[in-house]
Amino acid sequence: MPILPTVIAKAGGAVNIEQGVLIATLCVSIFFLGVIGLAKSLVGGMKWYISVPETIIIGAIAASVSYGIGTAFG
């Protein structure tokens, strides 16, 4: 789902990824990580206010590491 804003921008004729697309991608990513955290709390029995932030933080760390590796190895 996080790729959706980029796909929409490219379909609309955007050549370069602009800041607005980046912000939209971040918002979509955070939203869906929150949904995954909520589902995790419902299935696993954990409190939602612990599960949602935990999932968002772990997802953000994973995305940052992936971005760093991609940047380092081009």
Side-chain angles (χ1 to χ4, degrees):
M1 294 312 297
I3 196 77
L4 191 59
T6 304
V7 170
I8 291 171
K10 291 290 186 179
V15 177
N16 295 326
I17 303 297
E18 296 182 17
Q19 187 175 1
V21 175
L22 177 63
I23 291 170
T25 301
L26 289 172
C27 291
V28 168
S29 297
I30 290 169
F31 174 77
F32 279 103
L33 284 168
V35 169
I36 291 169
L38 186 60
K40 184 176 80 167
S41 73
L42 294 173
V43 171
M46 184 183 276
K47 303 282 187 198
W48 70 268
Y49 52 84
I50 295 173
S51 181
V52 171
E54 175 186 60
T55 304
I56 291 172
I57 290 168
I58 291 171
I61 292 169
S64 299
V65 169
S66 297
Y67 179 80
I69 289 171
T71 301
F73 294 104

